[in-house]
Amino acid sequence: MAPTSPRFSSEEVTVVFFLGGPGSGKGTQSANLVKDYGFVHLSAGDLLRAEQLREGSQYGAMIKSYITEGKISPSTSFPTRCATRSTPTPAPGTKARFLIDGFPRKLDQAVFFEQTVCPSELVLFLDCPEDVMEARLLKRGETSGRDDDNAESIRKRFRTFVETSMPVVDDFEAKGKVVKVQATGSVEDVYAEVKKGIEERGVHAR
Ligand code: ADP
Ligand code: C5P
Ligand code: MG
């Protein structure tokens, strides 16, 4: 296969991957980061759910099955294409920032993205024990309407996270790219630690 080079360089755009187990608080903290740091937020899960619900989607049934079973779709499939399709439009004099939430969840997704779109600047990782995540997800399930916020899907998602997604975090950790934050405190406390972690890596509010 011909060697590929990423479409954007780290000089042109800043990409932060936002990882953590299901229910660790990625979506919640993303809203804060968008407000204070000017990130464009892309959630792979949100994109998948939107496609699942889109009338006439040929992927709807397949996505529902992946989501209910807590399985990660392959690198060539929909979430990767969504994440790779967006075109950054930075304001003059500023560098566009992308916060990619819940992606990459599999090593092949990480390799594919960094080879074809842009190398990541850092990986923000929310570290949270399963009992805390489970309680949050069951509570969220009272109102979320999500197909996967139930005890059985949660168990499957935890397993996928440990077996498939933690190796991605470990791989980035070995490259010195991970900012790890304990996610058990209040939303405000976690955000304070998130801010501290990314500021130490040179990402400042704008
Ligand atoms: P993720 O995107 O990582 O799956 P969410 O941000 O959707 O997680 O959070 C999961 C649930 O937990 C949501 O209902 C959210 O309101 C709640 N939540 C998020 N962060 C905290 C926190 N620090 N303390 C308590 N509940 C939280
Ligand atoms: O991040 P979120 O919890 O919203 O993801 C929901 C589901 O979407 C995952 O459990 C998985 O089935 C699917 N997904 C995926 N690939 C990703 C992100 C999410 O297949 N990169
Ligand atoms: Mg989320």
Side-chain angles (χ1 to χ4, degrees):
M1 204 162 63
T4 49
S5 60
R7 181 160 165 225
F8 302 102
S9 74
S10 326
E11 279 72 47
E12 292 168 289
V13 291
T14 300
V15 166
V16 172
F17 291 141
F18 198 4
L19 302 181
S24 57
K26 300 180 295 296
T28 305
Q29 297 299 333
S30 291
N32 289 330
L33 288 165
V34 165
K35 183 164 54 72
D36 294 340
Y37 290 83
F39 278 103
V40 174
H41 176 229
L42 294 172
S43 158
D46 288 351
L47 290 166
L48 278 171
R49 283 182 289 277
E51 178 65 17
Q52 185 195 331
L53 294 176
R54 190 174 63 81
E55 206 165 317
S57 170
Q58 57 173 310
Y59 303 111
M62 185 190 80
I63 292 172
K64 188 181 170 83
S65 149
Y66 274 114
I67 286 181
T68 311
E69 292 302 311
K71 291 205 172 115
I72 308 302
S73 41
S75 78
T76 47
S77 73
F78 187 75
T80 308
R81 276 190 275 130
C82 276
T84 54
R85 207 185 288 144
S86 47
T87 306
T89 48
T94 60
K95 200 165 137 184
R97 288 174 171 168
F98 286 83
L99 184 62
I100 308 201
D101 166 353
F103 182 97
R105 296 262 256 276
K106 211 175 182 183
L107 277 168
D108 67 352
Q109 291 182 341
V111 171
F112 185 79
F113 187 95
E114 293 206 310
Q115 281 183 352
T116 59
V117 184
C118 186
S120 59
E121 180 79 17
L122 59 90
V123 176
L124 184 56
F125 171 55
L126 292 183
D127 191 20
C128 198
E130 285 189 3
D131 58 340
V132 174
M133 296 194 288
E134 183 186 29
R136 288 181 185 172
L137 291 173
L138 289 173
K139 177 102 193 114
R140 187 175 73 182
E142 291 170 12
T143 53
S144 69
R146 281 179 54 155
D147 292 323
D148 56 354
D149 282 346
N150 58 75
E152 195 187 335
S153 290
I154 291 169
R155 190 172 44 74
K156 292 177 176 170
R157 291 156 75 196
F158 285 169
R159 191 171 169 161
T160 298
F161 180 69
V162 170
E163 291 178 356
T164 309
S165 301
M166 262 323 278
V168 178
V169 179
D170 294 340
D171 189 64
F172 282 122
E173 178 89 65
K175 294 173 178 150
K177 278 196 172 184
V178 174
V179 171
K180 180 167 155 177
V181 171
Q182 291 303 322
T184 46
S186 68
V187 172
E188 295 72 26
D189 288 348
V190 175
Y191 187 47
E193 289 303 307
V194 164
K195 283 207 285 195
K196 196 165 144 238
I198 64 170
E199 300 260 349
E200 277 169 8
R201 297 290 184 119
V203 180
H204 301 294
R206 47 162 83 141

